[in-house]
Amino acid sequence: MPPEPPALSAQASAEYEFGPFRLDAERRALYRGAEFIALTPKAAEMLVLLVQEAGRIVTKEQLLERAWPGVVVEEGALTNNISALRKVLDPAFPGEGPIGTVARRGYRFSAPVRQLSPGAAQPGTAPAASAPEPRITDRDTILLGDVENKTGDAVFDGTLRQALLLHLAQSPFLQILSERKVHAALQMMQRPKDTPAVGEVALEICQRTGARAAITGAIFALGDDYVIGLTALDGDSGDIVVSEQARAHGKDEVLKALDGAALSLRGKLGESLASLTRFSVAFDEVATASLEALKAYTVGRREWFERGDAAAIPHQMRAIELDPQFASAYSALAIACTNMGQTVRANEFILKSYELRDRVGERERTRIVATYHHIVSGDLHRSLDALSTWIRNYPREATATTNAGSHYMTLGQWEKAFELTEAALQSEQTNIVYSNTAIIQMALGRHDDARRTLET
């Protein structure tokens, strides 16, 4: 008699390689290279059994019991799922594909399979260990690429990347490559600045900017459910560093599922438990629970980058109409109105964002408090207190050091202003920072240095 199939519990945490694919048995997740491949739950369950029993016949009864335990179903359900698996797998294999039919008995998985034990080095992943080394360090810069929308629902276009950005902005461990640097890299690559940063494009951006890794993702619809896959790729090799997957039961649960996947990914990348505990407020608490409001906010951010403040305002107004508690949208409106010289209107939005400051992450909260005391209350010292907290928690944040340097310029404390502005230059070489540096150097009597700064 053929040996009984091994119990799932004995191999639940194993991963398997066959051809260009990797199968995570525990999560029922299939990958081709860096791409997450969506399968229905039943098809995924059947694939796990077939791969675990590679080379041996798996009867129809075994497959039915695995996918529909204790339930009587038509055999057509089985053949439909086998057909779906073949559509995914067959193009990557010569001949008839890896799933063969054994007449009147069942199916056999014929492709060579390699089981990756939990302690083995896995292609595209860092070696596992009882105390794994961090995949990245707090000195590394990360590219946040795009989350591909494979659902056909336009509400997810760009929206999940923006949600991911708002989540990751809470982390003092992850330093996200600025949009300005991403756009500059795309320009050097002679690509439009709205080119999705996925695959080879993401890797080239990493290589041009020195980013250590790229985080990309995708969302798929499976009936009424949604599957979200996040992957961190090595910026040099393109190998998978870590990956995470989450399932949402309905559209209203997507942001919550994304939040959980992002939090898990941060831990896998090396962020400490203490940091995750302190800097991980749920997305619906620090941003919005409304996909539609987030979509309007996302479009507003894109319009701001591409066309300027005036183009962004209608979309941010729509965001606060859909969610009157969306603090980040009020903050974006305050910035746009300030830039356009609409002082009274800007102050109204700054005040509103200040009132809602407990509904944002710590980085955004300290920025809002600093802005409120700078613009509305006029208390530069309290603004500097907030900026000092911002810098202490996020020491590589150029915006905080630039603003603090500007405050000290206003107060005439030139040495302190120079110290902070010089620190800002280590992160962002913008015209504002260079201009401030030159002004400070002039005030300190360092005229030759100021001339060289302006010539940079």
Side-chain angles (χ1 to χ4, degrees):
M1 294 178 63
E4 289 294 319
L8 178 63
S9 59
Q11 296 178 301
S13 62
E15 292 189 354
Y16 302 86
E17 276 192 338
F18 48 92
F21 297 97
R22 177 171 61 88
L23 176 64
D24 183 331
E26 181 180 13
R27 293 180 174 82
R28 307 298 193 267
L30 180 67
Y31 299 88
R32 178 169 182 162
E35 182 185 10
F36 170 73
I37 307 296
L39 299 174
T40 66
K42 303 302 184 186
E45 197 70 46
M46 291 164 58
L47 180 61
V48 169
L49 180 56
L50 287 165
V51 169
Q52 288 176 341
E53 290 298 294
R56 288 180 268 192
I57 297 172
V58 178
T59 67
K60 296 177 181 179
E61 291 75 18
Q62 288 172 321
L63 286 167
L64 288 168
E65 179 58 29
R66 172 60 66 86
W68 292 272
V71 178
V72 177
V73 296
E74 296 286 342
E75 189 173 311
L78 174 65
T79 56
N80 287 342
N81 280 282
I82 290 291
S83 177
L85 286 173
R86 284 171 167 162
K87 287 180 181 178
V88 171
L89 301 177
D90 284 5
F93 293 89
E96 297 181 355
I99 301 177
T101 300
V102 181
R104 296 182 298 279
R105 296 191 62 189
Y107 301 90
R108 177 164 44 207
F109 196 89
S110 59
V113 174
R114 183 165 74 97
Q115 180 174 339
L116 305 173
S117 66
Q122 304 174 12
T125 63
S130 57
E133 291 295 321
R135 272 60 171 182
I136 62 170
T137 73
D138 58 5
R139 296 181 298 276
D140 294 320
T141 301
I142 305 298
L143 165 67
L144 178 56
D146 283 84
V147 179
E148 295 181 274
N149 178 14
K150 299 190 176 184
T151 68
D153 189 336
V155 75
F156 296 117
D157 290 341
T159 309
L160 296 193
R161 181 190 183 276
Q162 186 63 58
L164 194 56
L165 179 60
L166 289 170
H167 173 101
L168 297 180
Q170 297 185 74
S171 170
F173 177 75
L174 297 177
Q175 180 71 14
I176 305 299
L177 190 68
S178 70
E179 296 292 321
R180 184 185 65 82
K181 290 184 177 180
V182 173
H183 290 167
L186 287 170
Q187 185 175 24
M188 292 176 64
M189 294 159 61
Q190 298 184 332
R191 291 179 178 269
K193 56 186 176 182
D194 60 349
T195 302
V198 295
E200 294 300 321
V201 173
L203 292 180
E204 186 171 349
I205 293 172
C206 286
Q207 289 155 10
R208 287 179 179 272
T209 60
R212 172 69 180 82
I215 297 175
T216 62
I219 179 170
F220 305 84
L222 292 177
D224 293 332
D225 285 1
Y226 295 88
V227 177
I228 302 161
L230 299 179
T231 304
L233 306 176
D234 184 275
D236 291 323
S237 67
D239 291 342
I240 298 173
V241 180
V242 294
S243 60
E244 188 56 56
Q245 179 187 336
R247 185 183 292 263
H249 301 299
K251 188 183 294 187
D252 292 342
E253 296 293 317
V254 166
L255 293 178
K256 181 179 179 181
L258 177 68
D259 220 29
L263 187 62
S264 180
L265 193 77
R266 287 165 58 185
K268 288 182 177 181
L269 286 170
E271 188 167 352
S272 70
L273 179 59
S275 179
L276 292 172
T277 301
R278 180 179 174 187
F279 301 101
S280 58
V281 182
F283 185 80
D284 60 350
E285 295 180 32
V286 301
T288 180
S290 168
L291 266 173
E292 290 73 18
L294 183 60
K295 176 67 175 179
Y297 176 83
T298 301
V299 174
R301 294 287 295 173
R302 186 186 67 219
E303 290 292 287
W304 183 67
F305 278 114
E306 295 181 0
R307 298 173 54 199
D309 299 297
I313 286 177
H315 302 285
Q316 301 298 1
M317 292 297 294
R318 177 59 177 163
I320 62 173
E321 177 185 335
L322 290 165
D323 182 358
Q325 305 299 306
F326 195 172
S328 293
Y330 286 105
S331 181
L333 282 165
I335 293 171
C337 291
T338 299
N339 292 342
M340 295 177 66
Q342 299 177 7
T343 306
V344 174
R345 198 176 182 203
N347 286 359
E348 292 175 358
F349 291 129
I350 292 170
L351 179 58
K352 186 62 178 179
S353 65
Y354 182 75
E355 292 170 351
L356 295 169
R357 63 190 181 278
D358 290 335
R359 289 188 54 82
V360 295
E362 186 156 340
R363 185 197 301 256
E364 178 74 350
R365 180 163 55 253
T366 51
R367 190 190 67 76
I368 287 172
V369 172
T371 302
Y372 171 80
H373 286 299
H374 176 210
I375 303 297
V376 179
S377 77
D379 190 336
L380 283 187
H381 293 286
R382 293 188 69 179
S383 182
L384 280 168
D385 287 343
L387 290 171
S388 296
T389 300
W390 189 355
I391 294 168
R392 184 167 59 251
N393 290 330
Y394 305 93
R396 293 187 296 165
E397 179 59 69
T399 301
T401 48
T402 300
N403 290 350
S406 296
H407 285 4
Y408 280 113
M409 289 170 64
T410 302
L411 294 170
Q413 298 184 32
W414 299 106
E415 292 290 351
K416 187 66 176 177
F418 182 73
E419 176 188 335
L420 286 160
T421 305
E422 192 173 40
L425 272 176
Q426 303 305 311
S427 300
E428 287 287 331
Q429 293 78 44
T430 63
N431 290 337
I432 291 175
V433 179
Y434 278 120
S435 176
N436 285 355
T437 301
I439 292 170
I440 296 167
Q441 288 168 332
M442 290 288 289
L444 293 171
R446 296 164 54 177
H447 301 97
D448 290 341
D449 289 343
R451 184 179 300 107
R452 283 191 288 271
T453 296
L454 293 173
E455 291 171 353
T456 300

